Amino acid sequence: MPHIDPRTKILHTFAQTILLFVVRSNLGIIINLCFMALILSYLKKIYYVKRLLAYGAALFLCMVLLSFLGAAGKFFGLTAYILFKFSPVLGNYYLMTKTVSVSQFISSLERMKLPKSITVTLGVTLRFIPTIAEELRIIKQSMKIRNVSLGIGNILTKPITLLEYMLVPLMMRFVKVSEELAASAIVRGIEKPGLRTSLTELKITWKDFIYVFVIVIFMIFMYFFELYV
């Protein structure tokens, strides 16, 4: 995988946040989504490129189909549009969780001279989200063993059962995972005052400058694209 400094990826995340407010048109969202797919492709994360594009295509298709259903379709279509508008953020999620380790992320934040409270909070959050996603996968497998699936039929006919089998164990795992992450943070010495040492070498290279240059050019392009589209 090409080496890109985590600080550059954090900058890309802030840029993507700005683009959420700049990009409004469906075509602009598609271009932004494809840009994130190209970035992930460059970083050799082809599996997540396929997932990202499949997610965006499914939401866009839902928007098109719901537009033919009248008033009810407009209500659900708005929900689909909001999810579709935030679909490039899923690409950023893959960028930060699949190409940056927690130790690299925390080291990057410390090099950026951010307060310890922000560093610890963001570091634990980066570790917490993938862990909960894995817990959700395990819960779904357990539900299949009990012959309870997350199909639309069960959602409409057995909502209480789904709450019992999914949300209750998930909330219990929230507490357990939080305790485990807190213990892990203490063991790693995350509360140590001053700059912590790290086995990971962080270094800005010419690839990072090119990466940032591409992001800036893309943001300028999207601004004028939305201005005149």
Side-chain angles (χ1 to χ4, degrees), residues 39 81 105 123 132 134 175 186 194 196-197 210:
I39 293 296
Y81 170 77
F105 185 69
I132 290 303
E134 179 64 19
V175 177
I186 293 175
R196 297 166 61 247
T197 58
I210 293 177

Side-chain angles (χ1 to χ4, degrees), residues 179-227:
E179 293 175 352
E180 292 173 353
L181 290 178
S184 176
I186 293 175
V187 171
R188 289 170 178 266
I190 200 169
E191 295 180 343
K192 175 184 177 294
L195 186 64
R196 297 166 61 247
T197 58
S198 175
L199 293 176
T200 304
E201 182 180 359
L202 299 179
K203 185 178 181 181
I204 300 292
T205 65
W206 61 271
K207 292 181 180 179
D208 295 282
F209 289 107
I210 293 177
Y211 192 108
V212 172
F213 177 75
V214 171
I215 292 173
V216 172
I217 293 299
F218 181 73
M219 291 183 67
I220 295 173
F221 166 76
M222 291 305 301
Y223 172 78
F224 286 103
F225 178 85
E226 290 294 328
L227 195 62

Side-chain angles (χ1 to χ4, degrees), residues 124 127-135 169-184:
V124 172
R127 178 75 178 275
F128 183 78
I129 295 176
T131 303
I132 290 303
E134 179 64 19
E135 293 295 334
L170 185 60
M171 294 301 294
M172 295 177 65
R173 287 303 300 164
F174 276 165
V175 177
K176 187 65 176 178
V177 170
S178 299
E179 293 175 352
E180 292 173 353
L181 290 178
S184 176

Side-chain angles (χ1 to χ4, degrees), residues 12-84:
H12 187 182
T13 301
F14 283 115
Q16 189 60 247
T17 303
I18 296 173
L19 286 176
L20 279 177
F21 297 95
V22 173
V23 179
R24 300 179 303 275
S25 65
N26 289 338
L27 183 57
I29 296 172
I30 292 173
I31 294 174
N32 194 14
L33 188 67
C34 291
F35 178 74
M36 283 305 310
L38 287 174
I39 293 296
L40 291 173
S41 297
Y42 171 71
L43 297 174
K44 309 298 184 183
K45 298 297 178 180
I46 304 302
Y47 171 74
Y48 297 102
V49 170
K50 295 177 181 178
R51 292 187 61 173
L52 177 64
L53 294 178
Y55 176 78
L59 287 175
F60 183 75
L61 182 60
C62 284
M63 289 170 51
V64 173
L65 295 177
L66 289 171
S67 64
F68 296 102
L69 298 181
K74 289 182 179 180
F75 173 77
F76 291 105
L78 178 61
T79 303
Y81 170 77
I82 294 174
L83 293 175
F84 179 63

